[in-house]
Amino acid sequence: MAQVEMPQEIIERIKRLYGYTDEQIAAFSPKQRKARLMELEGMKYKLIAEVVTAENCACQHKKGENYVFLDGGALLPSESTVRVICAWAIAPMVPFFYLFYDRLSEGLDPNGTVFEYVKCPDTGAACGGWGQVMFKLHWEKAPG
């Protein structure tokens, strides 16, 4: 894969956000550079994880509530409608942030993945757990 040039605007952003040095940026692989080119496009999106089913949830998640995240995975509690933030519920969502950038870097719609549902890892009462929640995930592009 040929070396991909990154605009100075992106270089400055990733230095500011991640604390990368010029040497670290110079050592990026072509794939890392390609993914970083999507930084500015990715900032236009938020991941919405909507509760579609909830049974015996200790955090009392209810159908229709949601978690809202920035493109890089930062939870936005002020935009989320769940009453309690649950680490168990969020954990299975992590791979979707990688899928998001992979699809963007290939010029594809981030909502075009085959997989769009995740469940919290609790097995539910029938299998010896406590409860279970399923979420439907989708990316929303900010207007403008």
Side-chain angles (χ1 to χ4, degrees):
M1 183 178 266
Q3 190 70 320
V4 177
E5 291 303 316
M6 294 188 304
Q8 194 61 36
E9 177 183 14
I10 292 175
I11 291 171
E12 293 306 318
R13 179 179 189 272
I14 62 177
K15 285 168 78 174
R16 185 176 61 254
L17 279 177
Y18 305 105
Y20 287 132
T21 64
D22 289 328
E23 293 77 23
Q24 287 173 308
I25 292 170
F28 280 176
S29 71
K31 285 184 179 182
Q32 285 174 301
R33 289 174 175 276
K34 184 177 179 183
R36 292 296 181 197
L37 287 173
M38 294 299 107
E39 291 266 335
L40 297 178
E41 182 64 19
M43 290 172 50
K44 299 175 185 174
Y45 288 87
K46 292 179 184 174
L47 178 66
I48 313 300
E50 181 182 349
V51 176
V52 292
T53 62
E55 185 176 312
N56 308 115
C57 175
C59 292
Q60 300 179 9
H61 288 347
K62 305 285 184 234
K63 183 177 180 173
E65 294 179 331
N66 63 45
Y67 285 97
V68 179
F69 301 87
L70 291 176
D71 62 300
L75 176 66
L76 297 171
S78 64
E79 294 186 30
S80 300
T81 60
V82 294
R83 290 165 285 214
V84 176
I85 296 168
C86 176
W88 294 99
I90 292 171
M93 299 176 194
V94 172
F96 284 82
F97 295 98
Y98 292 110
L99 282 172
F100 171 74
Y101 276 104
D102 186 72
R103 291 189 62 83
L104 277 186
S105 70
E106 295 298 326
L108 301 170
D109 178 357
N111 285 307
T113 61
V114 172
F115 306 104
E116 55 187 1
Y117 292 90
V118 297
K119 286 185 176 180
C120 74
D122 192 323
T123 60
C127 295
W130 290 303
Q132 193 169 71
V133 179
M134 182 168 36
F135 299 88
K136 182 174 184 181
L137 307 178
H138 72 277
W139 292 94
E140 237 174 55
K141 195 167 187 178

